[in-house]
Amino acid sequence: MNKRHLLALAFVVSLALFLIACSKKEETTEQPAETTTAVQPTPIDQSTVGEVTGKVSFDGTKPKPHQIMMDQDPACVKAHGGKPVYAEDDEVNGNGTLPNVFVYVKSGAENYTFAAPSDPVVLDQKGCMYDPHVLGVMVDQTLKVVSSDPTTHNIHPMPKDNREWNMSQPPGAAPIEQKFARPEIMIPVKCNQHPWMRAYVGVVKNPFFSVTGSDGTFSIKGLPPGTYTVEAWTAVGGTPQTQDQTVTIGPKESKTVDFSFKAAS
Amino acid sequence: MASTVLTPPKHRAPSKSDSIGGNGHGWDGDGFGGGRGEPSPAGRPIPLHAYRMGMYMALAAILMVFAAFTSALVVRRGISNDWVPTALPGLLYLNTVILLASSATLELSRRALTAGRGEAFAQWLYATLVLGLAFIGGQLLAWRELVARGVYLSTNPSSSFFYLLTSAHGIHLLGGIGGLIYLVLRARRIVSAAKQRTIVEIAALYWHFMDGLWIYLLLLLTVRS
Amino acid sequence: MALAVALVVTLITLISVGIFVAKVYWFPVDISTHGAAMDHQFLLTLIICGVIFVAAQLGLAYFVWRYRDKGDGRKATYSHGNNKLEATWTIAAAIVFIGLNFLGYNIWAKMHFTGAAPGALKIQVQAQQFAFYFRYPGPDGEFGPTHLEKVDDAIGNFFGLDRAHDQASKDDIVTATLGIPVNRPVELILRSQDVEHSFFVRELRMQQDIVPGMEIPIHFTATEEALKHNGGRYEIVCTQLCGLGHYKMRAFLQVMTEQDYEKWLQTQAAAQ
Amino acid sequence: MAEAHAPTAHAQHAPQGFIRKYIFSLDHKVIGKQYYFLALFSVFVGLLLSILMRWHLVWPDAHIPLLDKLSPVGAPGGLMTPEYYLSLMTMHGTIMIFFVLTTAPQSGFGNYFLPIQIGAEDMAFPRLNMLSFWVTLAALLTLLSSFFVSDGPPLAGWTAYPPLSAVGSVSGPGEGLGQDLWVISIALFCVGALLGALNFIATTLELRTRGMKLMRLPLTCWAWFITAIVGLLSFAVLFAAGVLLLLDRVGGTSFFVPAGLIVSDKILSNHSGGSPLLYQHLFWFFGHPEVYIAILPGMGITSHILSCFSRKPIFGYRAMTYSLMAIGFLSFTVWGHHMFVSGMSPYTAFAFSVMTMAIGVPSAIKTFNWLGTLWGGRLRLTTAMLFSIGFVSLFVSGGLSGLFLAQPPVDVNLHATYFVVGHFHLVMGVAAIFAMFGGTFYWFPKMFGRMMNETLGKIHFWLTFVGVYAIFMPMHYLGVEGNVRRYSTFIDDFMQPLLPVHKFMSIWAFIVGGAQLIFIFNLFWSMFKGEKAGINPWESTSLEWTVPSPPPHDNFAGKIPVVYHGPYEYGVPGAEKDYIMQDSPEVVAESH
């Protein structure tokens, strides 16, 4: 090998590398912070805990219920005996309160850590509708999806911060068990084969959440004394909206927090 | 290299010469006994024009890749209402001149080799290599200019095609640069052995093709609808 | 062995052809005005192919049997071919194949080279993973615009209509069944919300891919025959691979008399 | 370029050491075997997938044993999910088309026998040859690795139409990493195929021995040569399509993804005005020639075997070569017949239809010439011959159904039904595989120095021949009935009466699948225990039968042959024997 040639070649190549290095765009990749350490629950003095209860009312004209068309899957039509079915997001209780509102402690409980309960939260598919429509799970708690329908569903949560998955569940198949690793309000869940089907899953770090039922009330128990921001989330009328309230709880105190929503335009 | 000698038929010779029908190289006239390359691993040398043929075929494949990109561009531009032409960096024209110059220097190098001027051959080869690298560097600078303007790969179909075509061409040219580096390293042996010159010719073929391809791409990217 | 080959090939040929001749399996009923010509073209092709099929397979069977090596020391016929024979079958094949194609030209032209008849009933078909939805323009004959951000499957706004603001959207009727009147030209405008789908109604002799980013019109007229079978209800299936629910992606076509259709449409309108 | 300077010190000697000899070998014969065994492995994976599919189709509630071990997500408890079915289908198609049909007859047999048949000591570029194999293997491993990614293997079909294949995991399982791996695998495969093709072309054109005029090439060589040209031009286009698809997936470009898509309630705002049809055009510009890439080598092998065992020259050698060329050329003009219902211009559809009918003509010529070859012959019904006769029968059956699909007004009702599945499986799948079996039985003695067992071979042939008709013929009837393909379960009432037909087909699929074990046993048993083969057990004429079995490292042991005759001089009147070898200087007055 000719040394002079080698030298010249090395020079040329390093020049090229230098040029390339100069023109390289600077890139910074964000590494999402991930905590993998096992959760050690913070001890809470059960003798001092209080609770937050309340009611969510609906203000204004009721949204016109949207009838759901299930024609393409006769199994779904049959499950309802041919009766019309309406979208759950349009539901308002007879007493003017709102069902399906997810109320949870948004902030104030950061100093505590909680272990996820070992019991799964069950989401059923019944008559090509999700039951319940709105539900909460804790981070790393198992969500167990079962089906009571004689037709195939697919369960497709569409999270922003969590891992997306999409799985079919033919009739008779085993329940699907999945966990969410990060808190997220709210993860919409869809069945693509019955596009009207929708559930909302709230993933929270603490056990302080509740969903309003047919009386529009909620109650969050076991709160240690402190100041909290309580948020209510609803998708009434189809568009999600939230409201926050701050509440301070003394030892063994029970406070009432009420919310009132209008249908989002 | 005994095996290169044609073994005569052992039985009786063919009565008519045309029953052999000449050699098999119907398309090349002088096939079997043509240039001798280096021995293939199996022993017999691969005729040099096989290398040329191989290069033609490689170029045909490359041509098809770019033909596919071209038709994609033409169709995509034709159907879309989202096509916003990307103003090309002026640097590209300088790069073009550099690349054309590299073809010229490669030709000079080749002539020097034919004339037996080994030193000039190597020098012009260096010049070609430097110009080739300068072209690549220039292309990267042109990309930087676009990025500075906020034009990225996914900004617009026209910019997508710009990055696609320039990088596809650039990668192929880098292959050519690899070839040039190889020639530089072997410059001495090439000068001393006339048989080695085919390598230079094949490298030049590739290089000029890349040159022509670039001109074509530049026209494709600049001509509006 | 030669006899076995000849017998098996013959048997396969006869069974294959026999099932077609006996029409054990055949197209479902034809409910469109254009279907008869297509079925006829199919039949014509079947006959021509059938003849070639039988001739070639039986020829093969016969040759294998007839020219088997019987061990009698006979030498094979030394022949490099027969130019005349080859030219003959080349030309014959070309005429038959290409001629057949031109016979089908008119059918294709009628379906695709002309648009729908003026006054045809316009219906939009929207495909999505994994359902079809249909939109009728309502009395004003106009489809309201689609607003992507308004699309919400959970409340049934598949087309992204803004009924509060868009005049044309107010009377649009969205359904999950494709109801059509009999004997009236229908123009479907196919579009997709997400991936490729396809619209296939076997009885209508109609199949068309639905390509996102395109609106593809197809047109047809359902005949009286449609009312006679299955209560006028036919399956619309998706035939383009569209994801995990592909096999379940379907809807129903309901062919009705003109009066029934009007009534049905009113019921649908009331449910909006 | 890398080939232009292969410095090998002791060139004439065969490499020593296991690795150089069998793994990173430059010997075209070893590479040919490597390709063959790669295809053999792939065909069994593909076959297994199809058996799982047939199982699920007729017993949708069945819990398939061990399947949950392979994929706990795709088949929880062994119950196959619809998405897993589609994944199996996608992988079956991809593996069979690329790694079996494109690999074995062309790269496998072609690599082994093209150089020997033209009287060359190796391919023109041995290093490139080795590279192309390793790239192909990398492609296969990449593809198979998608079975083990978290959201499952890709399910967009072997055609991978966008937007489904382009918008990522939002469009469903398998469309995340699995689809990325699929695209990368295909791109790699293209590179391997291109390298192989240019090597084949250069070898055929440049390395023919003295006297081996183009018109003296065996039809196998012609087929490999034309296939290489078709492959060179078409794989380049697939490569481009793959690059564009990958950019749409990961680079956020919009070549194929249109604006305003809402997938699973999510507005895809990062794409604008791309065209899914553009992808289809690029894909089928490759995809249709690909069909011929799969079948042309099979035609060559079949012609070769038919002539040999009919003891008769091939009927119309020139017509055979010209029709190969015509098919090769026309294959680039017919891709639109896959797109009659795709939404492309109906006028174009008609033009494509005419070209498609035209390509039927050279195919018909070939069929007639095969029959003409049998006519007046003295047929030796060896297993290889039986498979070749089977090839002709299957090619006729599958080819004729193409005449239906080539006509747009007929295709409308058959498109995307089982009619199409039956058509292409017969004409390109099974027929090509029959050619591979024929080639295996014919060339096994040369490749391994031993004979395969004829009795096992014949049992295998009969089960397979009857079986494939029992599987694929009924598909035509189902298609006419309107049975749509790519459905994992038949849920509609419409399909219930047809289910017994599916059961019939499935059971035959299991039988045929099982029968392949006979072949595998025969192959490996014969490799070690088979009867020793002589130089020319079939009394064949082409050059590979002039050298020992298996051939020495440089094929001819330094004695390069000279060719005096065409490849099919069987039954020559006045000749000493029943045949004249290509390199025999014997002159016969009436020859030609």
Side-chain angles (χ1 to χ4, degrees), chain B residues 6 9 11-12 14 19-20 22 24-25 27 41-42 44 46-47 49-51 53 61 64 68 76 79 82 154 160 164 182, chain D residues 3 5 11 121 125-126 205-208 210-212 214 216 233 236 244 251-254 272-275 554 560 564 585:
Chain B
L6 182 67
H11 317 288
R12 54 202 165 96
S19 72
I20 302 179
H25 304 275
W27 294 5
R44 209 179 78 192
I46 302 293
H49 45 78
Y51 292 119
M53 177 59 74
M64 277 312 280
R76 184 64 179 81
I79 54 141
D82 61 338
S154 59
S160 302
L164 170 75
Y182 182 83
Chain D
E3 276 314 314
H5 28 72
E121 293 178 306
F125 314 118
L205 289 181
E206 303 293 346
L207 296 194
R208 277 168 291 129
R210 209 151 120 192
M212 185 56 94
L214 283 173
R216 281 181 183 167
L233 301 179
L244 296 178
T253 55
S254 305
S272 65
S275 164
D554 65 351
I560 306 297
Y564 299 91

Side-chain angles (χ1 to χ4, degrees), chain A residues 52 56 101-108 184-186 202-204 206 208-212 218 220 223 228-234 240-247 257-259 261:
Chain A
V52 173
V56 183
V101 180
F102 187 69
V103 187
Y104 70 106
V105 168
K106 187 182 182 185
S107 65
E184 183 168 352
I185 304 292
M186 304 284 287
V203 187
V204 281
N206 58 50
F208 309 130
F209 56 87
S210 174
V211 180
T212 61
F218 67 89
I220 298 172
L223 275 170
Y228 301 99
T229 306
V230 177
E231 185 169 84
W233 175 100
T234 179
Q241 48 177 319
T242 56
Q243 285 179 13
D244 289 359
Q245 289 197 34
T246 309
V247 60
V257 176
D258 290 340
F259 294 91
F261 283 100

Side-chain angles (χ1 to χ4, degrees), chain C residues 48-97:
Chain C
I48 291 172
C49 287
V51 170
I52 303 174
F53 176 71
V54 172
Q57 299 284 14
L58 294 190
L60 180 69
Y62 174 73
F63 286 170
V64 170
W65 175 74
R66 169 77 177 74
Y67 298 112
R68 70 192 184 280
D69 186 359
K70 293 179 199 129
D72 54 4
R74 171 184 62 90
K75 257 198 171 180
T77 316
Y78 183 74
S79 156
H80 280 280
N82 182 326
N83 286 340
K84 244 187 217 163
L85 207 58
E86 287 174 54
T88 313
W89 63 47
T90 305
I91 292 165
I95 290 172
V96 171
F97 292 174

Side-chain angles (χ1 to χ4, degrees), chain D residues 114 142 173 175 200 209 218 245 287 327 357 392 407 455 458 480 525 531 557:
Chain D
L114 175 75
T142 308
E175 292 311 305
F200 270 60
T209 189
L245 185 59
I327 290 173
M357 286 305 214
V392 176
Q407 302 177 65
T455 314
K458 277 171 186 161
V480 171
W525 184 83
E531 188 191 323

Side-chain angles (χ1 to χ4, degrees), chain A residues 64 66-69 71-74 87 89-90 151-152 154 166-168 190 192-196 198 237-238, chain C residues 128-133 152-155 158 174-177 233 244-245 247-248 250-252 268 270-272:
Chain A
K64 185 183 177 241
H66 292 95
Q67 193 182 332
I68 291 174
M69 298 174 290
D71 307 16
Q72 69 263 58
D73 196 335
D89 280 344
D90 300 324
T151 183
T152 304
N154 70 298
N166 186 356
M167 283 179 208
S168 284
K190 187 189 179 78
N192 293 88
Q193 294 166 57
H194 309 100
W196 61 84
R198 187 180 295 166
Chain C
Q128 64 185 77
Q129 283 180 327
F130 301 94
F132 293 98
Y133 290 101
D152 188 346
D153 293 351
I155 58 166
F158 307 104
V174 177
T175 70
T177 294
R233 189 175 139 102
L244 76 152
Y247 78 105
K248 273 192 73 195
R250 56 180 184 158
F252 291 96
Q268 296 293 321
Q272 298 297 310

Side-chain angles (χ1 to χ4, degrees), chain B residues 1-3 5-16 18-28 31-32 38-47 49-58 60-62 64-65 68-69 71-73 75-76 79-82 153-154 156-157 160-161 164 175-176 179-180 182-183 186 189 199 202-203 206, chain D residues 1 3-8 10-13 26 119-127 194 197-198 201-202 205-214 216 222 225 232-237 239-241 243-244 247 251-257 270 272-275 278 282 285 332 553-554 558-565 576 583-587:
Chain B
M1 216 164 276
S3 65
V5 178
L6 182 67
T7 313
K10 286 209 181 91
H11 317 288
R12 54 202 165 96
S15 53
K16 274 190 272 178
D18 67 351
S19 72
I20 302 179
N23 65 46
H25 304 275
W27 294 5
D28 215 317
F32 192 74
E38 286 187 70
S40 81
R44 209 179 78 192
I46 302 293
H49 45 78
Y51 292 119
R52 203 171 295 133
M53 177 59 74
M55 180 51 76
Y56 283 137
M57 289 304 128
I62 293 170
M64 277 312 280
V65 173
F69 284 147
S71 60
L73 184 144
V75 171
R76 184 64 179 81
I79 54 141
S80 67
N81 45 19
D82 61 338
L153 175 69
S154 59
N156 190 270
S160 302
F161 275 107
L164 170 75
L180 286 181
Y182 182 83
L183 292 188
R186 281 171 74 100
R189 274 175 71 181
I199 308 173
I202 290 167
Y206 184 80
Chain D
M1 285 273 302
E3 276 314 314
H5 28 72
T8 320
H10 304 285
Q12 295 92 325
H13 303 297
L26 297 175
E121 293 178 306
D122 204 325
M123 297 289 275
F125 314 118
R127 262 154 229 279
L194 288 174
L198 79 86
I201 297 170
L205 289 181
E206 303 293 346
L207 296 194
R208 277 168 291 129
T209 189
R210 209 151 120 192
M212 185 56 94
K213 292 187 284 193
L214 283 173
R216 281 181 183 167
W222 266 112
F225 177 55
L232 189 80
L233 301 179
S234 62
F235 274 108
V237 173
F239 181 77
V243 168
L244 296 178
L247 284 176
T253 55
S254 305
F255 298 113
F256 306 134
V257 185
N270 56 337
S272 65
S275 164
L278 171 58
L282 289 174
F285 185 85
F332 284 100
H553 179 65
D554 65 351
K559 297 174 198 150
I560 306 297
V562 178
V563 167
Y564 299 91
H565 298 281
E576 289 167 23
D583 68 342
S584 156
E586 178 179 353
V587 175

